[in-house]
Amino acid sequence: MKNFLNKYIKKSNKETVVFLSIIAFAIICSVISFIYYYNNGLYLAYGDAKAHLNIARRVLFSLTPGATQLGGIWLPLPHILFLPTVWNDFMYYSGLSGTIVSMISFIVIVITIFKAVYFYTRSLLGSIIGALVVMLSPSLLYFQTTPMTEPLSIATALVAIYLIIKWSRSNNLITLILAAFLAAIATLCRYDNWFIVVTSSLVVALVGYIRNRKLKQAESSLFIFSSLACFGIFLWLLWNLVIFGNPLNFALGEGSASWFATSQNATTKHHLYLSLITFMWLMIENIGVLTLVLLNIGVIVYLLRYRFKRESLPGYLFLAPIVFNLLALYLGQSIAFTQHLPPHLLYNTRYGLNALPAAAFFIGITTAKFKKSIFLLVPIVGLQYYLLFTSPLTIIQDATKVQRPSEHAAAEWIKNHPVEGLVLVSTGTFDTLTFQSRIPEEKIIYEGSGKILKDTLKNPTKYATRIITGRNVIGSDTDPIGKIVLKSPEINTHYHVVFSNLFVTVYDRNLKGSWPEIKSKDQLTKTTELVKYEYLVKAGDNLWKIAEEKSGDPKNWQKLVEINNIQNPRLIHPGQVLNLNI
Amino acid sequence: MKKIRNFLFGHPITPFTDDEIQKKGNGFHYKNNEFIHHSSLHHKESAFYRLSRLQIIFILIFAVVLIASFILNWHTTLVVVIAMLTILYFSDLLFNLYLIYRSFSKPAEIKITDEQINSIKEWPRYTILCPLYKEWQVLPQFISAMTRLDYPKDKLQVMLLLEQDDAETISHIKDFNLPKYFDVVIVPHSKPKTKPKACNYGLKFTKGEYIVIYDAEDIPDVLQLKKAVLAFKKTDSRVACIQAKLNFYNPHQNLISKIFTAEYSLWFELVLTGLQSIHAPIPLGGTSNHFKTANLHKLGGWDSFNVTEDCDLGMRLVKHGYRTAIIDSLTLEEANSGIKNWFGQRTRWIKGYMQTYLLHMRRPQDFIRSWKEPHVITFQLIVGGKVMSMFINPLMWGITIVYFLFRSQIGLFIESFFPTPILYMGVLSLLLGNFLYLYYYMVGCAKHGHHELVKYAFLVPFYWLAMSMAAWAALYKLLMNPHYWSKTNHGLHLDNKKATSEAIKKIGTRLIDNTLIRPALTH
């Protein structure tokens, strides 16, 4: 450590001082943002955030622990990185075990943007501006405090791109190998990066060819890069084949993105214009409209200044994530909604975050090219970020749009009334509930319990002391496990209801000698009080009336439509439950 | 009693008397046979006996324990055996990864510049040893290559070591106008009939301060001798051997030569440089290893009974506290292009590695000179692990294939042999390990500049399969005929137009200098 410091102090030229200050500043930003979101509790707002933690935890503690718990839909690397800390209760329940990974990724993202801009321009000013654009981005600052996979995915992809940029100049074999390794790592974080690997391979082959106009050089570079970079993808296909019997399970299986997209009617599928507009709005929600304009200007500046040369080609890779998200929307492989376009919902708004590194890089390049533009750029980006900071962030609204008071209430009740023995619950449906109710992972029988689940579904009394069933979103069916197990005759003879609200019902096994009175389900629903903020639609109700009655302002009906995902506001059914938490 | 002892431990040796040594050279009698090996190496340091008494006893005890525990509880025994093999396989994987990392992070090969060469006026005497056996076809090419070496000819001694029973070569040598710094030495016929014995014989007539061995089909970099001299001066006195890098002048002749080239590129560009950077024992490359003659005498020369005397010498150097350095100078060889030829050569190499491993495990403690340099462990991985992995590899693949083919029937049964940590380790070695080894071939090719060969690395798994078969053949031969040297044929490239034109392109001049051949006899 002392040597390390000495080395830097001796070498204390301007570059290193600036570089170290940027890192220090990034760390400060990261920590402040963490403290802020940790205190207001929003850092675990995304259901996915809890689900990621859950997966990692189950690898260590569950009825059937082991690597298979990583599953076959979400890519495994984030969960693997959570493993060293997730065993600890505090680190797990606080989400810190994932947040640490995100925070480190955040620092890496800042460093990479700084270095990439510096590599092309040798301008400290441009590099600083580039670094600041990522570092102060409200969206990224939020995500780096969550256990979500975006920061890690962006960081690994950026480092891979940066190494390709370096290699394009140095032609150093080891740099190319490292780039390929990072790319392989990135492909195990998010599927977006699979596309980046494909485009990077093309760029690497092109750079290899341009270097001395020899095809064999291009071929060699391509093989060296892509065989390692694609190895992660190969492993993932193999994993899907071995564990789930189909190498493409991740793409087609239940719970995959395209499965969601088809089941939820992707409006952008095969509509190029709509995809474009949708993604433009997603980008605006994340980086702001002014920053988006500057990004476009930056690309033009880069194009004019560097054109398509050996060294400048890899720079365009920063745009690959944007292209990928557009393509995914267009092909119907992913689904995202913005409030500005029908059906006026928030869904997967965070995809727009992928434009941030490109914005930072190209704005940095612009600053370096036109030094004086800083007097224009800084106020613009500053104003934009100020506006984003002061209004509620769309990505957080997206995460908190579906309030689930019933699920929270059930979780609270279960937490306070633990049972000995095993609990049968669909964690796919109730990720938030299982996380909040703190049922020990070793006691849960769920979708990933393999043979134990099969046996329990056939004969619940064999293992399950408690059964949790229900639904978590208005309009959805009973959870897949409940659907099967409720048909079992044993439910009525060997279990009784201990808790029930409109969404969640908890059954406990009858104890020998104490057979409580078996209440019918209808009876229970009536007797159970509605949780605050929920409303059971009666015949003759309409949204206007409900809004007026419950909030005092009939105009609030639009908000009801929004938060309840109502497709046709004129059509609500008696028995439907509305979320009133507007 | 004596019979049993002889059966178990081999018959005793009767060393030559001083008179016999005077007359015939160093040697001994064994079971009515006479062995003349021409080296001062004690037979305990040679591979004449495959195993020492202690080793035989140890192996017997090990076998008895293994069989007994197998009878007592075969399942647990198998679990333990599989676990040990997996751990070995896994550590080999980690070790190789470390080596490749080192070869990039701390490039250790010695580079000599033209300026350094030009600054020296006085050059020491240098001897080149070239053992030849039934390969007169490549003689013109070799003699041409030697005359082209950039080294003061009055300081050079090129010694062609011919075998007494190889009448063909002896007669062909007369066809050449040999310059006067060429010495033709006829090695008297004796057992064992190996290349190291010929070298030991040649060592007696060596006048040079430095000595190097070239194979008859070699075409070394013309400046290599000068570079070696400078490399010895640059490095500390512990460096007793300078190894030049080997590669081929006919890589594109056919598929075998292509993959063979990829393998050599990996070995010399990545593995050996990695080994040098951690001062590990380096299995020498057979040709183009340069020594100080005095050191060779001190070490007792080569082991005439070892069929990879180069590998053995590399280990012996380390045991005596010496080091090997890699020099950035190339010797081009003929890439093996025939399947049978390749298989024979590979079998000999693996047999030699086994001999070397068993020999140096007689006294593994000699590797331990300081705990900072754990040669005794690296030796296990470099020599033992390399051979062992050839036997384990097909086994692991076999288990995997059987597992997936018959998963529903015997899947659980196979799983029962792999406790969780071993399973993870095994899966990691199998997938990551095999991929990485394959990838190293690509990197080796790219580093050497064989860009067009990179893609052939995908065929390497078949090459490994052939290697494993050669390993079994080698084991059989080690038991049946340990000192037999199966000669690799050379000159296969000379009949192949594509290969010769490629070779000419590579060395930048014709392969054969016609002025060396006596005009009267050319037609």
Side-chain angles (χ1 to χ4, degrees):
Chain A
M1 190 64 199
K2 218 175 176 184
N3 281 337
F4 176 79
L5 277 179
N6 277 339
K7 199 176 131 201
Y8 271 96
I9 291 162
K10 262 187 208 153
K11 245 177 66 181
S12 68
N13 46 27
K14 217 160 83 190
E15 282 82 6
T16 32
V17 171
V18 171
F19 180 59
L20 291 178
S21 326
I22 284 286
I23 295 177
F25 190 46
I27 293 173
I28 294 169
C29 288
S30 169
V31 171
I32 291 178
S33 152
F34 171 73
I35 293 170
Y36 175 75
Y37 286 113
Y38 188 79
N39 281 331
N40 68 15
L42 282 173
Y43 70 108
L44 278 179
Y46 273 98
D48 285 0
K50 282 160 268 191
H52 285 303
L53 289 165
N54 241 318
I55 289 177
R57 178 90 161 178
R58 280 189 222 127
V59 173
L60 302 178
F61 312 118
S62 68
L63 282 171
T64 49
T68 45
Q69 294 297 331
L70 290 170
I73 303 290
W74 270 334
L75 286 159
L77 191 74
H79 313 128
I80 292 171
L81 291 180
F82 294 178
L83 289 181
T85 49
V86 83
W87 56 270
N88 179 287
D89 276 355
F90 170 73
M91 297 298 277
Y92 171 58
Y93 287 115
S94 69
L96 255 180
S97 103
T99 301
I100 287 173
V101 175
S102 296
M103 287 170 80
I104 295 170
S105 305
F106 173 77
I107 312 288
V108 172
I109 293 171
V110 173
I111 293 174
T112 321
I113 293 290
F114 181 90
K115 290 203 137 193
V117 177
Y118 190 74
F119 183 88
Y120 280 113
T121 64
R122 295 282 143 199
S123 148
L124 278 177
L125 187 72
S127 316
I128 294 170
I129 296 296
L132 286 177
V133 172
V134 266
M135 200 191 302
L136 297 176
S137 153
S139 290
L140 186 62
L141 278 172
Y142 171 70
F143 276 111
Q144 69 99 36
T145 60
T146 67
M148 299 287 278
T149 54
E150 273 79 5
L152 178 67
S153 160
I154 293 176
T156 47
L158 283 189
V159 177
I161 293 174
Y162 172 67
L163 288 169
I164 294 174
I165 292 174
K166 259 183 89 174
W167 167 77
S168 70
R169 183 179 293 171
S170 72
N171 196 20
N172 193 342
L173 187 59
I174 190 72
T175 316
L176 184 63
I177 294 171
L178 283 177
F181 175 69
L182 257 297
I185 295 280
T187 58
L188 293 176
C189 293
R190 283 186 74 80
Y191 293 102
D192 308 30
N193 293 334
W194 293 26
F195 180 76
I196 294 186
V197 162
V198 174
T199 44
S200 305
S201 298
L202 278 176
V203 167
V204 164
L206 270 174
V207 169
Y209 178 72
I210 296 173
R211 201 184 296 284
N212 49 17
R213 306 273 160 194
K214 274 190 184 149
L215 266 179
K216 64 177 192 178
Q217 182 90 39
E219 179 193 287
S220 156
S221 307
L222 178 68
F223 275 115
I224 291 276
F225 178 79
S226 54
S227 23
L228 178 54
C230 295
F231 185 61
I233 297 176
F234 167 76
L235 283 184
W236 189 240
L237 297 180
L238 196 68
W239 172 262
N240 270 268
L241 174 67
V242 172
I243 308 288
F244 304 96
N246 177 1
L248 296 175
N249 168 69
F250 66 90
L252 309 167
E254 197 171 298
S256 65
S258 71
W259 178 80
F260 271 115
T262 43
S263 68
Q264 296 189 356
N265 185 21
T267 49
T268 54
K269 189 171 181 178
H270 301 317
H271 291 281
L272 188 59
Y273 176 72
L274 193 60
S275 308
L276 231 103
I277 296 290
T278 304
F279 195 64
M280 192 193 76
W281 276 114
L282 297 185
M283 291 194 283
I284 291 173
E285 310 277 24
N286 279 275
I287 64 172
V289 65
L290 297 174
T291 326
L292 184 61
V293 171
L294 292 180
L295 159 65
N296 284 296
I297 296 173
V299 174
I300 294 167
V301 169
Y302 186 82
L303 192 66
L304 293 176
R305 167 75 178 77
Y306 297 100
R307 296 169 196 280
F308 295 106
K309 295 257 171 60
R310 190 188 76 208
E311 281 181 31
S312 65
L313 262 179
Y316 295 102
L317 286 174
F318 284 104
L319 295 171
I322 299 177
V323 177
F324 168 79
N325 277 282
L326 264 173
L327 265 179
L329 285 176
Y330 175 69
L331 297 173
Q333 287 298 308
S334 74
I335 179 168
F337 296 130
T338 150
Q339 52 203 346
H340 304 280
L341 294 169
H344 302 290
L345 298 172
L346 289 176
Y347 191 65
N348 282 340
T349 333
R350 61 179 191 275
Y351 288 174
L353 183 70
N354 286 302
L356 181 64
F361 174 73
F362 289 108
I363 291 175
I365 295 275
T366 315
T367 330
K369 175 79 180 130
F370 306 105
K371 292 258 152 57
K372 284 194 181 136
S373 68
I374 187 172
F375 298 109
L376 197 65
L377 282 174
V378 169
I380 292 178
V381 179
L383 175 70
Q384 180 67 70
Y385 280 2
Y386 174 76
L387 289 175
L388 284 173
F389 264 121
T390 45
S391 59
L393 274 176
T394 324
I395 43 159
I396 301 182
Q397 287 175 6
D398 189 347
T400 51
K401 68 190 170 211
V402 192
Q403 295 278 339
R404 297 166 178 173
S406 300
E407 207 178 335
H408 292 306
E412 202 56 29
W413 186 90
I414 295 166
K415 192 175 160 187
N416 295 329
H417 300 83
V419 280
E420 297 284 318
L422 303 182
V423 179
L424 176 69
V425 59
S426 157
T427 52
T429 310
F430 294 117
D431 48 8
T432 308
L433 181 138
T434 36
F435 185 78
Q436 284 178 345
S437 61
R438 304 211 168 186
I439 314 168
E441 282 71 20
E442 303 91 325
K443 285 189 170 184
I444 301 179
I445 306 170
Y446 70 108
E447 287 91 336
S449 301
K451 200 175 169 299
I452 299 179
L453 175 71
K454 248 188 210 169
D455 292 353
T456 316
L457 288 180
K458 254 186 238 154
N459 177 9
T461 51
K462 192 167 177 194
Y463 296 113
T465 313
R466 172 172 281 178
I467 299 169
I468 302 171
T469 69
R471 51 186 176 156
N472 70 348
V473 185
I474 295 136
S476 69
D477 266 348
T478 309
D479 68 278
I481 285 181
K483 241 187 220 169
I484 301 171
V485 84
L486 288 182
K487 284 183 193 142
S488 157
E490 291 186 346
I491 285 292
N492 292 324
T493 52
H494 290 76
Y495 292 86
H496 62 280
V497 176
V498 287
F499 174 89
S500 176
N501 62 28
L502 277 164
F503 285 75
V504 185
T505 309
V506 182
Y507 298 82
D508 274 2
R509 181 88 195 267
N510 300 332
L511 293 172
K512 267 184 196 157
S514 67
W515 292 77
E517 184 191 344
I518 298 163
K519 295 173 186 169
S520 82
K521 258 173 81 193
D522 295 337
Q523 221 178 339
L524 261 159
T525 318
K526 274 177 210 152
T527 51
T528 318
E529 254 183 82
L530 278 182
V531 183
K532 215 174 157 190
Y533 298 132
E534 277 179 359
Y535 179 79
L536 184 65
V537 178
K538 299 188 286 279
D541 276 345
N542 63 51
L543 286 175
W544 179 279
K545 198 177 120 194
I546 298 169
E548 187 176 24
E549 198 175 292
K550 294 291 169 188
S551 70
D553 183 1
K555 281 184 200 137
N556 276 335
W557 71 269
Q558 276 173 322
K559 286 192 182 164
L560 283 180
V561 170
E562 242 173 65
I563 61 168
N564 289 297
N565 285 345
I566 295 171
Q567 305 283 334
N568 183 351
R570 287 190 194 84
L571 210 64
I572 50 173
H573 311 282
Q576 192 175 347
V577 178
L578 295 182
N579 184 354
L580 301 182
N581 190 12
I582 45 184
Chain B
M1 194 62 205
K2 200 176 163 194
K3 263 191 175 170
I4 295 173
R5 201 186 64 198
N6 286 348
F7 174 76
L8 272 180
F9 302 125
H11 293 263
I13 277 174
T14 324
F16 276 6
T17 58
D18 286 348
D19 273 0
E20 279 173 310
I21 292 174
Q22 280 287 320
K23 228 164 71 191
K24 303 176 187 163
N26 272 320
F28 54 77
H29 297 281
Y30 175 80
K31 278 209 311 193
N32 304 328
N33 274 318
E34 192 181 67
F35 287 88
I36 306 173
H37 50 76
H38 296 296
S39 83
S40 54
L41 205 64
H42 191 272
H43 70 79
K44 279 189 176 164
E45 277 191 86
S46 106
F48 179 71
Y49 289 118
R50 279 168 292 238
L51 300 161
S52 71
R53 288 183 179 206
L54 208 64
Q55 280 178 312
I56 292 171
I57 293 167
F58 181 79
I59 289 174
L60 284 178
I61 292 173
F62 183 76
V64 168
V65 169
L66 195 69
I67 291 167
S69 55
F70 196 82
I71 292 166
L72 278 175
N73 189 340
W74 62 274
H75 192 269
T76 315
T77 312
L78 268 180
V79 168
V80 171
V81 169
I82 288 176
M84 306 251 270
L85 292 182
T86 309
I87 291 168
L88 193 78
Y89 203 57
F90 189 67
S91 35
D92 195 47
L93 165 73
L94 292 182
F95 178 65
N96 274 291
L97 192 63
Y98 178 65
L99 279 189
I100 307 288
Y101 158 76
R102 287 289 297 205
S103 82
F104 274 106
S105 69
K106 294 239 166 22
E109 62 185 52
I110 301 167
K111 290 201 158 91
I112 307 287
T113 60
D114 287 349
E115 286 155 33
Q116 285 170 313
I117 291 173
N118 293 332
S119 69
I120 302 245
K121 294 282 169 287
E122 258 322 287
W123 295 95
R125 290 193 72 90
Y126 222 114
T127 297
I128 294 169
L129 292 186
C130 175
L132 279 156
Y133 190 55
K134 295 186 179 165
E135 43 198 337
W136 55 271
Q137 295 96 328
V138 287
L139 257 179
Q141 178 190 310
F142 181 70
I143 296 170
S144 307
M146 290 302 104
T147 54
R148 286 169 184 156
L149 285 176
D150 180 358
Y151 202 80
K153 300 293 189 258
D154 55 326
K155 295 287 171 67
L156 203 57
Q157 179 193 22
V158 182
M159 204 188 294
L160 303 175
L161 296 161
L162 275 49
E163 296 283 338
Q164 194 182 9
D165 64 346
D166 181 13
E168 217 169 4
T169 312
I170 295 176
S171 78
H172 274 95
I173 204 80
K174 295 180 183 124
D175 299 350
F176 298 99
N177 276 323
L178 289 181
K180 59 173 192 277
Y181 53 89
F182 274 70
D183 289 340
V184 178
V185 174
I186 313 270
V187 182
H189 177 73
S190 77
K191 282 183 184 179
K193 196 145 197 68
T194 60
K195 173 177 157 190
K197 184 199 71 177
C199 291
N200 282 326
Y201 189 72
L203 192 59
K204 294 186 193 174
F205 307 101
T206 297
K207 294 175 202 151
E209 189 182 327
Y210 294 93
I211 188 168
V212 62
I213 297 174
Y214 287 129
D215 280 347
E217 86 279 12
D218 286 2
I219 304 179
D221 162 18
V222 291
L223 281 171
Q224 193 172 93
L225 301 185
K226 288 187 171 178
K227 284 182 180 171
V229 170
L230 277 161
F232 273 118
K233 291 211 166 113
K234 260 177 109 172
T235 49
D236 68 40
S237 61
R238 277 178 293 180
V239 172
C241 175
I242 302 272
Q243 167 78 56
K245 292 182 176 181
L246 306 183
N247 218 290
F248 300 115
Y249 44 70
N250 62 329
H252 298 100
Q253 192 170 341
N254 60 23
L255 208 56
I256 300 174
S257 69
K258 278 174 184 164
I259 300 181
F260 200 58
T261 307
E263 189 190 13
Y264 255 53
S265 303
L266 162 62
W267 184 247
F268 284 96
E269 298 293 337
L270 297 175
V271 179
L272 286 196
T273 45
L275 284 174
Q276 189 198 343
S277 79
I278 57 171
H279 304 300
I282 292 183
L284 300 177
T287 105
S288 309
N289 21 56
H290 303 253
F291 301 94
K292 286 180 188 159
T293 314
N295 284 339
L296 260 188
H297 281 297
K298 226 185 280 174
L299 286 166
W302 293 270
D303 177 5
S304 304
F305 294 99
N306 195 312
V307 295
T308 51
E309 80 294 341
D310 35 15
C311 174
D312 167 68
L313 185 58
M315 302 304 123
R316 194 139 36 90
L317 281 169
V318 169
K319 279 191 168 177
H320 286 83
Y322 291 118
R323 282 179 183 172
T324 303
I326 313 288
I327 185 176
D328 185 29
S329 170
L330 208 57
T331 297
L332 293 176
E333 288 194 286
E334 181 194 351
N336 220 324
S337 57
I339 287 193
K340 255 184 152 174
N341 211 21
W342 178 90
F343 194 80
Q345 184 187 41
R346 191 53 56 124
T347 307
R348 170 168 67 80
W349 285 358
I350 298 170
K351 184 172 87 176
Y353 263 65
M354 291 177 187
Q355 284 184 321
T356 308
Y357 181 74
L358 295 174
L359 170 71
H360 288 278
M361 281 308 281
R362 288 180 201 169
R363 289 184 59 80
Q365 64 271 32
D366 290 354
F367 277 113
I368 304 167
R369 304 184 71 87
S370 109
W371 286 110
K372 274 187 187 164
E373 293 183 348
H375 297 316
V376 70
I377 296 167
T378 42
F379 167 72
Q380 306 297 319
L381 292 167
I382 295 163
V383 182
K386 202 169 149 67
V387 174
M388 197 64 164
S389 63
M390 287 181 216
F391 288 106
I392 305 178
N393 223 353
L395 180 78
M396 292 284 189
W397 276 111
I399 293 177
T400 312
I401 291 168
V402 168
Y403 178 77
F404 283 115
L405 283 183
F406 308 104
R407 199 173 168 189
S408 50
Q409 291 98 328
I410 52 168
L412 279 174
F413 177 69
I414 292 178
E415 278 170 36
S416 74
F417 290 105
F418 291 87
T420 312
I422 296 299
L423 180 73
Y424 286 168
M425 224 185 255
V427 169
L428 208 66
S429 315
L430 194 75
L431 289 173
L432 200 65
N434 279 287
F435 170 75
L436 278 181
Y437 286 126
L438 191 147
Y439 193 61
Y440 296 156
Y441 281 74
M442 291 187 165
V443 176
C445 284
K447 201 172 174 214
H448 187 85
H450 284 309
H451 294 295
E452 66 293 341
L453 293 183
V454 169
K455 55 178 174 288
Y456 289 99
F458 287 114
L459 296 176
V460 157
F462 299 103
Y463 193 73
W464 291 334
L465 197 66
M467 259 154 85
S468 295
M469 290 182 336
W472 284 106
L475 185 63
Y476 175 77
K477 292 214 166 140
L478 177 71
L479 296 173
M480 293 305 161
N481 203 352
H483 312 134
Y484 177 72
W485 186 290
S486 91
K487 180 75 188 97
T488 311
N489 292 323
H490 287 298
L492 298 178
H493 67 289
L494 293 171
D495 300 333
N496 186 315
K497 265 204 178 137
K498 191 176 140 206
T500 37
S501 69
E502 187 182 11
I504 290 167
K505 216 167 136 195
K506 275 222 149 172
I507 65 165
T509 170
R510 283 176 309 159
L511 289 174
I512 295 160
D513 182 353
N514 283 325
T515 60
L516 290 167
I517 301 169
R518 290 197 175 167
L521 293 163
T522 40
H523 298 293

